[in-house]
Amino acid sequence: DAMVIQNPRYQVTQFGKPVTLSCSQTLNHNVMYWYQQKSSQAPKLLFHYYDKDFNNEADTPDNFQSRRPNTSFCFLDIRSPGLGDAAMYLCATRAGPQETQYFGPGTRLLVL
Amino acid sequence: AQTVTQSQPEMSVQEAETVTLSCTYDTSESDYYLFWYKQPPSRQMILVIRQEAYKQQNATENRFSVNFQKAAKSFSLKISDSQLGDAAMYFCAYRSRGNDMRFGAGTRLTVKP
C-alpha cells in the first residue's frame, strides 16, 4: 500500500512557468519534508513542516515555496523555474523524533 | 555541524558474494540514529536498515547487517549473498533527536552476474 504518494511522477514545465508538485501521505505523520535531488547526488533538504510549523533551510531559494493545508497534503510551488531547477523532488514523512523517515517515489521535473 | 562521509563513490560485487559499504560521521551528540537507504535507478528511496546509537547490538535485516562502532563513529553496511536487485545507490544518513537528517554523498553499487 502506498504510504507517501507524489503526483505527478514526471512533470515538464517551461522556463519561468510556475509549477506545483504535490505530496500526500496515509501515515498521519506530523512531519513532512521536501528534498531536491540532482543526478547521483544526495537529497538536499529544502524545507519541512512539523505539523503546521514551517521550517525553511537557509539556502533554499525564494523561488521555492511550500504549503501544507492539512496533515495529509503538502505542496511545493516553484514560482519561476529555471533550468537549474530540473531535478528529482522527494517528499518524505516522519511520525516523531524517534521515528524513521519514509520517502515518496519522487517527481522528476524537467524544465524546457 | 554533523557530517556524514561515504568515501566510496562506487563499489562492485560479484553476485552471491559479500560487500561492505563504508560510512563515517561526525557528531558531538550522544543520542542519535543512523540509517542506510537504498535508491535503485529511477526508483523510490527505501530504508534498508536503522541503528539507534544507544543500542550496542548491531542491527540486522536478513542479508543486510551493520557494523556500528560508536567510538570510531563508523557505520558500515554489509550485504551478504549479493543479488542483482541489490544494485542501487546507497545513502548513509544520520539524525539526532529533533534535528533533520544528514545524508552522505552516496555509494553506487554494481552487482555483476
Side-chain angles (χ1 to χ4, degrees):
Chain A
D1 292 338
M3 298 185 292
V4 183
I5 303 156
Q6 291 189 246
N7 286 308
R9 295 291 309 277
Y10 298 90
Q11 176 74 57
V12 181
T13 191
Q14 291 179 328
F15 183 94
K17 184 175 180 181
V19 65
T20 295
L21 309 182
S22 71
C23 176
S24 63
Q25 52 140 335
T26 60
L27 301 163
N28 204 33
H29 286 174
N30 54 5
V31 190
M32 292 187 79
Y33 298 87
W34 278 108
Y35 289 88
Q36 179 192 66
Q37 186 181 27
K38 298 196 174 179
S39 181
S40 300
Q41 296 183 19
K44 176 182 180 299
L45 182 64
L46 296 174
F47 18 61
H48 76 273
Y49 283 89
Y50 196 105
D51 292 323
K52 286 187 177 289
D53 185 20
F54 175 72
N55 296 274
N56 198 32
E57 290 296 293
D59 57 355
T60 298
D62 292 339
N63 198 25
F64 291 81
Q65 303 287 320
S66 183
R67 298 169 283 137
R68 189 180 186 186
N70 53 52
T71 299
S72 300
F73 286 87
C74 195
F75 299 98
L76 170 62
D77 301 309
I78 308 177
R79 291 191 296 187
S80 182
L83 298 179
D85 297 328
M88 177 74 87
Y89 289 87
L90 301 174
C91 176
T93 72
R94 178 166 59 83
Q98 295 178 292
E99 297 304 316
T100 296
Q101 200 160 302
Y102 293 95
F103 286 85
T107 294
R108 185 168 295 281
L109 178 68
L110 180 62
V111 182
L112 300 179
Chain B
Q2 299 90 2
T3 58
V4 180
T5 302
Q6 293 179 249
S7 59
Q8 306 153 317
E10 296 184 358
M11 290 284 284
S12 68
V13 63
Q14 204 71 35
E15 194 176 7
E17 298 293 309
T18 295
V19 65
T20 298
L21 308 184
S22 301
C23 175
T24 58
Y25 58 95
D26 183 27
T27 185
S28 58
E29 304 279 347
S30 58
D31 186 13
Y32 53 88
Y33 310 90
L34 296 163
F35 308 85
W36 279 99
Y37 281 90
K38 169 186 176 182
Q39 189 177 37
S42 300
R43 294 183 65 184
Q44 190 163 351
M45 187 173 293
I46 58 173
L47 179 70
V48 175
I49 202 164
R50 158 195 166 121
Q51 175 84 42
E52 288 86 352
Y54 66 85
K55 290 186 178 179
Q56 294 184 335
Q57 187 172 5
N58 289 326
T60 299
E61 287 288 344
N62 300 316
R63 298 182 295 106
F64 298 87
S65 61
V66 297
N67 183 5
F68 174 46
Q69 302 287 329
K70 191 172 183 179
K73 297 178 182 173
S74 170
F75 183 61
S76 60
L77 174 70
K78 185 171 83 171
I79 306 174
S80 304
D81 186 24
S82 297
Q83 301 175 359
L84 295 178
D86 295 334
M89 197 77 165
Y90 286 82
F91 291 99
C92 178
Y94 161 100
R95 184 168 61 79
S96 59
R97 271 183 183 269
N99 288 316
D100 300 321
M101 190 170 284
R102 302 294 174 188
F103 289 91
T107 296
R108 184 176 302 282
L109 179 66
T110 303
V111 181
K112 298 178 181 178

